[in-house]
Amino acid sequence: MDTLEAELDRARDLDVATLADAIVEIGFECTRCGACCKAETCGNEASDDAESDSEPHTATVFPDEIRRVQDAGDQEYDFRDAARPMPYGLEDGPEGPEGETFEWALQTDDCGDCTFYSEDESGTGACTVHEDRPLICRTYPFSVALGGTSQPMGEAVDEEGMVRAHECEGLGRDISRAEAEELAAALKERAIREIEEAIAVRDAYEPVETGPGEIVVHDSEGQKRPDGTPLD
């Protein structure tokens, strides 16, 4: 298996023009449907059984992106308003989720939707922190497969199988070359940042004993409590 450092070299060598070619080939335009910002099932559209199996919206966010979202717009958000511990890896204990996890996710509302997502009366979606949204939001529905340790889901949309497209009703629509190149540049930046974060987490990791109901998040800046404060 390739090392993270080898993956990082490949990410840094990504050619933005080649990524843009793949994006232009498949096409994309955001329809503001909100599907990428919402839980898989929610509200009146879901049956009782579906609601019990609903998956909350989960979007990975880096520590500096959390701070940027906190300061977005006219409202200053608390850390917990902006982010939550990534649920993957946590266990259900008698006092709630507990254990160690290695990423942050954007915060969700009671319905499981991204807390920064809103809809107008016509059902058109909008991001309330759009100018400061994380890279994962800027690049959806695309991702990059570099091989090695990280293999994103989604269908390959180029001959090399590097650019992946996830389910989205905006795919197949015309996109300008300028917009495709902007999206491709963000896609490359995201690929680099994800691996840099993984390397930093690996290098800073120290096992932590967690008690009932206690959660520790390991990120590139060290060990933190769910409110973002350092464990030490």
Side-chain angles (χ1 to χ4, degrees), residues 28 30 36-38 57-62 65 68-69 105-107 114 116-117 127 129-142 168 183 186-187 190 194:
F28 172 69
C30 179
C36 60
C37 304
K38 297 189 290 187
H57 172 267
T58 305
T60 306
V61 59
F62 304 127
E65 292 180 323
R68 187 160 61 248
V69 167
L106 285 175
Q107 186 58 273
C114 177
F116 299 110
Y117 175 74
C127 174
V129 292
H130 188 264
E131 293 303 315
D132 297 286
R133 66 196 188 282
L135 281 166
I136 195 169
C137 304
R138 293 179 183 273
T139 55
Y140 194 88
F142 297 102
C168 176
L183 183 50
L187 200 55
R190 173 186 161 193
E194 286 177 342

Side-chain angles (χ1 to χ4, degrees), residues 61-83:
V61 59
F62 304 127
D64 64 308
E65 292 180 323
I66 297 172
R67 290 188 286 269
R68 187 160 61 248
V69 167
Q70 283 184 265
D71 296 332
D74 298 328
Q75 181 175 347
E76 185 172 334
Y77 298 95
D78 290 336
F79 187 94
R80 286 179 181 264
D81 293 330

Side-chain angles (χ1 to χ4, degrees), residues 160-180:
E160 291 76 21
M162 179 173 292
V163 179
R164 303 295 178 96
H166 304 253
E167 183 177 352
C168 176
E169 71 172 37
L171 291 171
R173 299 169 182 263
D174 290 340
I175 184 172
S176 70
R177 182 69 191 187
E179 290 174 322

Side-chain angles (χ1 to χ4, degrees), residues 4 63 101-103 194-206 217-223:
L4 287 171
T101 188
F102 295 87
E103 293 177 308
E194 286 177 342
I195 302 171
E196 287 178 337
E197 178 79 8
I199 291 173
V201 170
R202 179 200 65 190
D203 293 346
Y205 176 71
E206 294 181 6
V217 181
H218 301 269
D219 66 23
S220 57
E221 299 174 348
Q223 292 75 40

Side-chain angles (χ1 to χ4, degrees), residues 2-24:
D2 290 343
T3 65
L4 287 171
E5 284 76 12
E7 283 187 65
L8 181 57
D9 288 340
R10 285 199 295 276
R12 288 171 173 164
D13 287 340
L14 287 171
D15 181 65
V16 171
T18 300
L19 297 178
D21 288 342
I23 294 171
V24 169

